[in-house]
Amino acid sequence: MPAAERVPLRSVTVWLLLQSLLLLASCLPSAAAFPKGCYPSEEEGLKTFRCSNARLTEVPRDIPNDTNKLFLDSNRIPFLPRDAFRDLPLLLELDLSHNAIASVESGAFRGLAEHLHSLDLSSNRLVSVSKDAFSNLKAKVNLSNNPWLCDCRLQELIRTVDLAAGSSGGIVCHSSAQEEHIGKAFLQVIADTDFCNVYKKTTDIAMLVTMFGWFAMVISYLVYYVRQNQEDARRHLEYLKSLPSKQRRSEESSTISTVV
């Protein structure tokens, strides 16, 4: 074949190869859409998205919405906002362990109630979380190795969630109103102490003390008012006695009428 005919053929071949590569790239998910250190995979037939040790400071966006297992462990995420996972309706497992999570907003797990069966929040910085944050969640939850404040709020939370097997012993009192509870497993403490009942009694006593204080103030004011009026009346009568008899009788009648 003449050289003049081979050059166009080579150009056509290169052009077709480039077109094929562009078509293939358009059919594949773009890795550039994922945060650095994150990648999708398939494990045991489940679509997995891993972002372990990716230095994340927030829950990443653009997670494939058909993800079944999501690993966000060993990052720097400080809190979970409302609707953080609302676009992941097929999520079965969520690992948020070894982060810096100190706050979980109500509704953070909204949309996961039907399918999620495993939630790992161990080794974070959780001190106190409202039970509403886990409302309707059926997943097994791991809350171990957090600096918990042992109080009524934690007691209500523990009664709301379904704890993962073997994790309850790791829920330890880091702080408490009663010093003897510090360092003890929370489930061991609430076996003997009802934090919510103690709180209710304290509140009732405070209300009684407040009501008694107001009642005492009202009584004191009434006593002062009566005594002040009696003193004014006594002084007026003494003044009347010092007046001439006719004027005194007239003033006395006026005073009596006023008093009546």
Side-chain angles (χ1 to χ4, degrees):
M1 182 180 295
E5 293 182 8
R6 288 201 300 270
V7 173
L9 181 60
R10 185 179 300 171
S11 300
V12 171
T13 303
V14 171
W15 182 83
L16 288 174
L17 181 59
L18 288 173
Q19 290 295 317
S20 300
L21 290 174
L22 289 173
L23 181 62
L24 181 62
S26 66
C27 295
L28 294 174
S30 174
F34 304 138
K36 184 179 179 180
C38 299
Y39 61 92
S41 64
E42 189 163 326
E43 300 176 8
E44 300 177 351
L46 296 175
K47 293 189 176 181
T48 302
F49 193 75
R50 286 190 175 273
C51 286
S52 304
N53 288 297
R55 298 184 179 181
L56 299 176
T57 56
E58 63 180 1
V59 177
R61 300 177 183 179
D62 300 321
I63 299 173
N65 58 16
D66 59 350
T67 298
N68 303 128
K69 299 171 71 175
L70 177 58
F71 292 87
L72 299 175
D73 55 300
S74 303
N75 283 291
R76 304 170 183 173
I77 300 171
F79 77 102
L80 300 178
R82 182 186 301 271
D83 294 324
F85 308 97
R86 65 178 178 180
D87 296 324
L88 302 173
L90 302 180
L91 198 61
L92 301 175
E93 297 182 23
L94 176 57
D95 189 348
L96 290 160
S97 63
H98 297 90
N99 272 281
I101 300 170
S103 173
V104 180
E105 290 188 359
S106 295
F109 304 110
R110 187 160 48 190
L112 302 182
E114 293 300 319
H115 299 284
L116 192 71
H117 63 69
S118 176
L119 172 60
D120 193 345
L121 281 166
S122 63
S123 300
N124 276 284
R125 298 179 184 174
L126 296 172
V127 175
S128 183
V129 179
S130 170
K131 64 178 181 179
D132 297 333
F134 299 87
S135 180
N136 300 319
L137 206 61
K138 300 174 184 177
K140 298 285 186 180
V141 183
N142 188 344
L143 297 172
S144 62
N145 299 319
N146 281 280
W148 291 109
L149 166 63
C150 290
D151 61 359
C152 179
R153 204 177 193 202
L154 179 58
Q155 182 172 312
E156 289 180 338
L157 173 62
I158 296 301
R159 289 176 175 174
T160 300
V161 301
D162 188 3
L163 295 177
S167 69
S168 60
I171 303 174
V172 176
C173 298
H174 185 266
S175 57
S176 175
Q178 300 181 36
E179 218 174 296
E180 64 268 22
H181 295 155
I182 296 175
K184 293 183 179 179
F186 186 67
L187 291 188
Q188 176 187 347
V189 171
I190 60 175
D192 302 317
T193 305
D194 188 338
F195 285 94
C196 295
N197 191 39
V198 169
Y199 175 78
K200 184 177 182 301
K201 286 181 178 178
T202 303
T203 304
D204 290 344
I205 291 171
M207 288 181 64
L208 286 172
V209 170
T210 302
M211 290 175 64
F212 178 78
W214 279 106
F215 182 72
M217 288 176 63
V218 171
I219 295 298
S220 299
Y221 176 77
L222 289 175
V223 170
Y224 169 79
Y225 180 79
V226 170
R227 287 182 177 177
Q228 188 66 29
N229 282 320
Q230 286 179 344
E231 184 66 19
D232 290 343
R234 185 184 63 77
R235 289 175 181 174
H236 191 61
L237 289 174
E238 289 179 353
Y239 168 74
L240 291 177
K241 290 177 181 179
S242 65
L243 296 175
S245 58
K246 287 184 179 181
Q247 184 178 354
R248 185 172 64 241
R249 281 196 298 270
S250 176
E251 292 276 355
E252 285 176 348
S253 298
S254 177
T255 301
I256 292 170
S257 299
T258 302
V259 172
V260 172

